Structure formats: C-alpha cells, structure tokens
Amino acid sequence: MIILSGGTGTPKLLRGLKNVIPEEGITVIVNTAEDRWVSGNLVCPDIDTVLYTFAGLIDEKKWWGIKNDTFYTHEALKKLGYREPMKLGDQDRAAHIFRSELISSGYTLTEATERLRLSLGVKARVLPMTDDPVATMIYTSEGEMHFQDFWIAHKGEPKVLDVRFDGLDAAKPTTEMISALSSEDTIIIGPSNPITSIGPILELKGIIPILQKKHVIAISPIIRNKPVSGPAGKLMKAMGYEVSSAGVAQCYEDFLDVLVIHRKDDCVVHNVKVVKIDTMMTSPKEGERLARFIIELTKY
Ligand code: GDP
Ligand code: FO1
C-alpha cells in the first residue's frame, strides 16, 4: 500500500495501518517542503514524524518529536543567547545530526532516510518526495516567512496572502518514489494539509499524470468546516478553496476517485465518489478502524 503523507494526520492513520497489515507492505511518500536547517542540522519534520510513528517513538501529544525527550541543548543554547526557531529535543536532534553528517558526506536525503529507517528498526519504506531542497514560504501581511516561522514564531496568526514553494520548479521527484508510485494501482492520500503537505508532492514534475492513471483515494483532513489541527483551513482559504471536504476535493480534482469524509460531515462534494466513516483518530484503535475501511476501498 502506498500513501502520500505530511506530518500529523497521516501518521495517525499509519499508526493504525501498521497494526492491520504487515509494515513491510507499506510505502510512504513524504513531503519535504517544511524541512529546514536549524542550528547546523537538517530538520525534516514530516519524515521524522513518519519514522518515529513506525518506530513507536512519536510524541502522541504533539505529533512531532520523540516522547519523553529532553531539551537540554535547546535550553543551553537559549542561556547562551541563541533562540532556536524550532524547539528541538535532544534525541530528536541526534537524528538530525546523523542525517546531516550523512548528507555532508555525499548521501542523498533518500539514502540518509534509509539509514535512519534501519537504525530505528522501521520496516515500512519511507521515501522523501525529492532529494533537492524545497522551502515552503508563506507570504503574509507581516512579510514573507518560512512555513516554520509562520507556524511557530508567529503562531500561524498573520493574514496569509500567498503560499509558494521555493526550489520546487527545479526539484526532481526521486526515482525511488516514481517507481513506487508507478508500481501500485491504488494510491492513498492521507488526511494531511492539502496546501503545504500534499501540495508540494503534487507539484513535482510528472506526479499528476501518474496519479491520473491510478485509483486515488483521499481522506479529508477537514471535518465540516474546520481542520482537526494545524493551519490547513487558513491556508486553503488564502489559496481560494472552501474550507470543507468539497474544497479538499477541489484541491485534488485532476485525479481524485474517492474522498473519505467524516460520517457527520454533510458537505456536498461533486464529481467524486464520497464515502463516510468516523475519520477522527484520537486513539490507535480509531486509526485501525479507518485503516481497515481504506483497505476495503482499495479492493474496488
Ligand atoms: P499541518 O499540521 O497543517 O502542517 O499539516 P499536516 O499535513 O502535517 O497534518 C495536519 C492535518 O491532519 C490537518 O489538516 C488536520 O486537520 C489533519 N488531521 C489531524 N488529525 C486528524 C484526524 O484524526 N482525522 C482527520 N481526518 N484529519 C486529521
Ligand atoms: N511545532 C511547534 O509548534 N513548535 C515547535 O517548537 C516545533 C518544533 C519541532 C521540532 C521538530 C519537528 O520535527 C517538528 C517541530 N514542530 C514544532 C512541528 C512542525 O512545526 C509542524 O507541525 C510540521 O512541520 C507540520 O507538518
């Protein structure tokens, strides 16, 4: 099974899916446009959340970082007068250091992710969307800023005028992710932010034509008129989409076959088959139930 993922909603589904089908049979294609160099190391929030979820390490209260991590280095930097733009845990930082050392010695991000995957004992395949640097920039009433600054330092508050992905035009999808996508009949798009998590994957050259030949099932991250978490609503609105499952369907209109929406969401969605179930995944069991439902849909 192949799934496109960002960093919060889809990992909740993966936490369920790995208890329902063998982990070896899961391939996840992950957004890298929210990646950022912090304190000398490359932080890849979405890749790490997916890896930590499979490894059973994810902090399930925040859905980023490692549970029970300490923040000694982050606090020590603060005492020295340097405020990191992201609050990095000590164990989480170790993964960033390992990744950055590998990249500095010539490994690609895909190869470095594979090394981390093996070290963490993850059996699923985790594939970055590209090995090239891409940065999500949010254009706001307070100026242009990196997604992480918009979300963390500015608490997602400034009015959003536009969203752009620096480096995306020149970025190549990896051969690993193209061959993974090409080898499956059905592609799942997890409940992730359609603008800043799935959007960059879709904008890579050649991805939409592949998806148009596949059976594509997406799970809506919007329930009624609100995202479960994060800035998806604000960003969808800024980019001219309705904040609803109909808006999500519109983001994917070029290739979507089935949209899974919450059973209490009475949104009218045109031109795509809609199926309903409880899509809230507060507990692992709820993720498993949704995973079983999705597996049944793949047997169309
Ligand atoms: P970001 O946090 O907006 O940058 O986006 P991510 O792609 O990392 O994931 C967050 C998305 O997952 C949000 O749009 C949420 O609405 C969605 N999400 C989080 N938890 C759930 C859940 O339990 N069910 C559903 N359907 N969506 C969820
Ligand atoms: N989100 C926050 O709101 N505050 C943080 O300090 C923060 C640190 C952080 C460190 C590592 C990491 O992998 C993710 C982190 N996040 C933090 C989450 C991140 O900003 C976003 O939620 C993801 O990029 C969304 O996909």
Side-chain angles (χ1 to χ4, degrees), residues 203-231:
E203 279 197 31
L204 284 166
K205 269 179 225 72
I207 301 305
I208 289 185
I210 296 178
L211 295 181
Q212 283 170 334
K213 293 189 204 115
K214 307 287 177 182
H215 186 64
V216 182
I217 302 169
I219 299 104
S220 179
I222 307 290
I223 300 181
R224 293 201 186 91
N225 291 100
K226 271 210 286 220
V228 178
S229 59

Side-chain angles (χ1 to χ4, degrees), residues 7-8 34 43 45-46 64-65 86-88 92 147-148 151-152:
T8 309
E34 288 171 18
V43 180
D46 292 357
W64 55 266
M86 299 176 85
K87 189 175 177 193
L88 301 181
D92 188 25
F147 173 88
Q148 299 297 348
W151 184 239
I152 300 172

Side-chain angles (χ1 to χ4, degrees), residues 98-116:
F98 187 25
R99 167 191 298 128
S100 308
E101 285 296 320
L102 290 167
I103 287 175
S104 304
S105 56
Y107 283 69
T108 63
L109 181 61
T110 299
E111 290 164 345
T113 305
E114 183 63 6
R115 286 291 297 271
L116 277 172

Side-chain angles (χ1 to χ4, degrees), residues 17-297:
L17 187 63
K18 76 187 177 83
N19 294 337
V20 174
I21 61 171
E23 204 184 298
E24 296 85 332
I26 306 172
T27 299
V28 191
I29 293 175
V30 191
N31 172 43
T32 58
E34 288 171 18
D35 297 5
R36 184 179 198 186
W37 288 84
V38 178
S39 307
N41 296 305
L42 182 60
V43 180
C44 302
D46 292 357
I47 291 176
D48 291 341
T49 299
V50 169
L51 286 174
Y52 296 157
T53 298
F54 282 119
L57 296 173
I58 189 73
D59 180 336
E60 292 178 354
K61 288 194 199 92
K62 303 192 302 259
W63 284 94
W64 55 266
I66 292 179
K67 63 183 162 198
N68 302 322
D69 209 349
T70 53
F71 292 86
Y72 291 115
T73 305
H74 180 78
E75 294 303 330
L77 284 166
K78 212 191 278 180
K79 273 193 200 140
L80 291 172
Y82 177 66
R83 271 184 182 273
E84 290 189 302
M86 299 176 85
K87 189 175 177 193
L88 301 181
D90 297 311
Q91 292 180 61
D92 188 25
R93 191 188 304 271
H96 309 149
I97 292 173
F98 187 25
R99 167 191 298 128
S100 308
E101 285 296 320
L102 290 167
I103 287 175
S104 304
S105 56
Y107 283 69
T108 63
L109 181 61
T110 299
E111 290 164 345
T113 305
E114 183 63 6
R115 286 291 297 271
L116 277 172
R117 174 184 85 82
L118 293 170
S119 309
L120 293 168
V122 172
K123 297 193 190 85
R125 283 186 90 198
V126 179
L127 302 176
M129 65 175 199
T130 180
D131 288 328
D132 302 318
V134 179
T136 297
M137 302 304 296
I138 311 290
Y139 289 72
T140 78
S141 49
E142 294 174 30
E144 170 192 348
M145 55 188 84
H146 190 280
F147 173 88
Q148 299 297 348
D149 288 334
F150 167 73
W151 184 239
I152 300 172
H154 290 265
K155 301 186 172 68
E157 283 165 2
K159 183 177 162 55
V160 176
L161 309 173
D162 200 4
V163 178
R164 292 190 211 159
F165 305 112
D166 281 2
L168 196 60
D169 285 349
K172 292 177 292 299
T174 67
T175 50
E176 289 84 352
M177 87 95 128
I178 294 290
S179 67
L181 276 181
S182 306
S183 67
E184 297 272 344
D185 294 331
T186 301
I187 313 285
I188 312 295
I189 300 183
S192 285
N193 186 325
I195 307 296
T196 49
S197 294
I198 305 301
I201 306 178
L202 301 178
E203 279 197 31
L204 284 166
K205 269 179 225 72
I207 301 305
I208 289 185
I210 296 178
L211 295 181
Q212 283 170 334
K213 293 189 204 115
K214 307 287 177 182
H215 186 64
V216 182
I217 302 169
I219 299 104
S220 179
I222 307 290
I223 300 181
R224 293 201 186 91
N225 291 100
K226 271 210 286 220
V228 178
S229 59
K234 187 165 192 169
L235 298 178
M236 285 176 74
K237 199 167 164 206
M239 298 311 283
Y241 295 100
E242 185 181 282
V243 184
S244 68
S245 291
V248 174
Q250 211 192 336
C251 292
Y252 302 149
E253 67 184 355
D254 291 339
F255 52 80
L256 188 64
D257 297 293
V258 181
L259 185 66
V260 180
I261 73 173
H262 194 274
R263 68 186 169 84
K264 288 190 179 158
D265 191 341
D266 49 17
C267 177
V268 178
V269 185
H270 297 289
N271 301 326
V272 68
K273 182 180 169 192
V274 170
V275 288
K276 293 190 178 186
I277 186 178
D278 188 343
T279 59
M280 271 302 286
M281 295 172 285
T282 317
S283 70
K285 285 277 167 252
E286 289 167 318
E288 284 177 27
R289 186 188 53 205
L290 183 57
R292 279 197 197 89
F293 185 77
I294 302 295
I295 291 164
E296 284 308 309
L297 290 178

